[in-house]
Amino acid sequence: MTGTPAPVPARATVGIVGGGPAGLLLARLLHQAGVDCVVLESRDRAYVEQRQRAGILEQGTVDALRSSGAGERLDREGLAHDGIELRWDRRAQRVDFPSLTGGHRVWVYAQTEVVKDLVALQLRDGAPLLFDARVSSVTGAGTDRPVIHYAHGGADHTVVCDYVVGCDGFHGVTRKAVPEGELRTVGRSYPYSWLGILADVAPSNEELVYAHSPRGFALLSMRSPAVSRLYLQVPNGTDPAAWTDERIWDELDARFAVDADWTLARGPITQKSVLPMRSSVTEPMRWGRVLLAGDAAHIVPPAGAKGLNLAASDAIVLARAFGQLARTGSTAGLDAYSDTCLRRVWRAEHFSWFMTTTLHTAPDQPAFDTRLQYSQLDRIAASPHAAAELARNYVGMPVG
């Protein structure tokens, strides 16, 4: 039973703009802590629940979903992974997470499924959640009563809040509530993109395979025991329609090539899309009564599998801070929110940059740079310390 949306009040302690993973998880955790909030999402429910993004969950994210009540289907259908495989120069090296991190692992469970689970909980008994609510502006960020202005059902509405949390992405309206010059954003773009496919074929490996190749990077992942998710490095601006199914499988075969008894299973490709890659961090993540979370504050390239997990960790830190405020009246957690999150954000940014630049082949890349990449991968294969650093970053650093 999914229930129906609760009415959106004209007054709330926390107004959340954006119904993606960060906003939905924060709302659920706030509901459990007895803090009233509203969630306003500009898209319809079908769009939100079908939006394809990352599918690797760190232990901290899994723990938060379980404690929020959204872990039942994850535990039943999610795929626990104890490692990844690196491939380069026709060699392969497995990185074993539990032995290198004191027992930690990751889970493969698509963002679409995380969102569906959280939406169902919110509609059943959580905070008000309104789809097709197009927020036009947030005013009063520097006052103690910021206001969210939105349109829904052909009429204009407002919600007066104690705090507004922007979970509406880099181009969302919440960032615009902060006066110009108060936020500093730094970042970089990469000279390549990912062509991602979904295929109705069982994964060709039990764990993810990250492959470096002179032809470009490739990643073997999965959505379920019967559905594979694979990626190819392609030039920026690539039209996915220009790649035939046969060409995609042939290129994946070439990039995953290894001197071992291994075959890439092929099957019907059901979806193709191109994902540009960039990094950015906005500092601080709070100004006045407006706080930023998830993609509104930071973006990472997908090679490190950190985007969804950083969004979740922001929500966890915020929920703790708002819970502290409700219980004790202390704003200490909220005052420390930006610094607390940015420490983890920058660690994840560095790891994502490391995975991206180590495994991808830049256009016209000099042979010297390729040999440096091989040297780094050789070191991971030969040094338990180097392998442990990769594993520790991959499974996720502690939240907070």
Side-chain angles (χ1 to χ4, degrees):
M1 180 177 179
T2 59
T4 56
V8 176
R11 181 80 174 80
T13 299
V14 182
I16 301 171
V17 183
L24 291 169
L25 179 58
L26 174 60
R28 184 61 187 170
L29 295 174
L30 291 180
H31 173 72
Q32 290 181 314
V35 178
D36 68 286
C37 66
V38 299
V39 183
L40 302 173
E41 166 56 46
S42 64
R43 302 282 192 164
D44 62 36
R45 180 178 179 181
Y47 179 93
V48 171
E49 292 185 340
Q50 294 169 13
R51 189 162 41 194
Q52 292 286 341
R53 293 290 189 274
I56 305 296
L57 307 183
E58 299 173 356
Q59 181 72 62
T61 303
V62 171
D63 291 344
L65 290 170
R66 286 171 173 163
S67 66
S68 75
E72 180 180 347
R73 201 158 64 92
L74 164 61
D75 287 331
R76 186 174 66 249
E77 301 176 14
L79 306 175
H81 281 201
D82 287 338
I84 59 173
E85 184 176 294
L86 300 175
R87 294 188 181 184
W88 73 102
D89 198 25
R90 301 189 66 86
R91 289 177 285 163
Q93 176 67 40
R94 182 174 183 269
V95 180
D96 185 87
F97 294 156
S99 67
L100 294 165
T101 65
H104 293 278
R105 52 169 50 172
V106 296
W107 279 256
V108 174
Y109 191 64
Q111 176 174 310
T112 52
E113 307 313 302
V114 172
V115 168
K116 289 174 186 175
D117 295 341
L118 289 170
V119 166
L121 283 173
Q122 287 303 104
L123 294 182
R124 187 190 73 190
D125 59 3
L129 166 60
L130 191 63
F131 294 103
D132 289 312
R134 300 189 177 275
V135 175
S136 58
S137 64
V138 176
T139 59
T143 73
D144 60 359
R145 293 291 185 272
V147 181
I148 302 174
H149 304 259
Y150 71 99
H152 181 263
D156 294 331
H157 307 270
T158 60
V159 181
V160 180
C161 310
D162 291 343
Y163 294 88
V164 173
V165 180
C167 302
D168 51 343
F170 185 83
H171 298 290
V173 301
T174 311
R175 292 168 56 97
K176 300 173 184 176
V178 179
E180 186 175 354
E182 295 293 337
L183 300 179
R184 303 175 300 278
T185 301
V186 294
R188 62 167 295 175
S189 297
Y190 295 86
Y192 33 70
S193 299
W194 278 10
L195 170 61
I197 67 165
L198 280 174
D200 287 338
V201 60
S204 302
N205 201 64
E206 293 182 354
E207 297 172 338
L208 275 68
V209 178
Y210 289 79
H212 175 286
S213 165
R215 305 172 67 96
F217 169 79
L219 171 62
L220 185 156
S221 183
M222 61 282 296
R223 282 294 176 260
S224 74
V227 177
S228 293
R229 180 75 162 156
L230 301 108
Y231 298 92
L232 284 169
Q233 175 189 335
V234 294
N236 288 337
T238 292
D239 179 0
W243 283 72
T244 65
D245 292 6
E246 183 178 13
R247 181 187 178 192
I248 289 172
W249 288 118
D250 287 346
E251 192 62 29
L252 286 166
D253 253 332
R255 298 188 191 186
F256 286 123
V258 65
D259 290 333
D261 184 15
W262 184 85
T263 301
L264 177 67
R266 302 187 178 203
I269 295 176
T270 60
Q271 184 183 105
K272 302 176 188 176
S273 60
V274 169
L275 175 67
M277 302 175 66
R278 64 190 181 100
S279 304
S280 76
V281 178
T282 295
E283 300 177 288
M285 291 172 58
R286 176 189 176 183
W287 191 86
R289 293 293 184 100
V290 170
L291 305 102
L292 304 177
D295 286 357
H298 41 72
I299 296 171
V300 292
K306 294 301 170 195
L308 172 57
N309 294 292
L310 281 180
S313 65
D314 291 349
I316 294 166
V317 174
L318 271 176
R320 290 173 182 169
F322 281 122
Q324 178 189 51
L325 177 64
R327 292 190 312 272
T328 70
S330 172
T331 63
L334 288 171
D335 294 339
Y337 166 69
S338 183
D339 289 341
T340 299
C341 288
L342 283 170
R343 285 191 293 272
R344 196 174 196 274
V345 166
W346 277 113
R347 177 88 300 275
E349 288 283 357
H350 185 270
F351 177 66
S352 299
W353 168 86
F354 165 79
M355 291 288 284
T356 301
T357 56
T358 299
L359 292 166
H360 289 70
T361 302
D364 302 317
Q365 177 166 297
F368 181 83
D369 291 2
T370 301
R371 292 299 297 142
L372 289 177
Q373 291 172 321
Y374 284 175
S375 176
Q376 182 59 57
L377 292 164
D378 289 342
R379 180 171 179 267
I380 293 168
S383 167
H385 298 291
E389 183 175 8
L390 187 153
R392 178 68 265 180
N393 280 281
Y394 199 99
V395 301
M397 306 303 288
V399 176

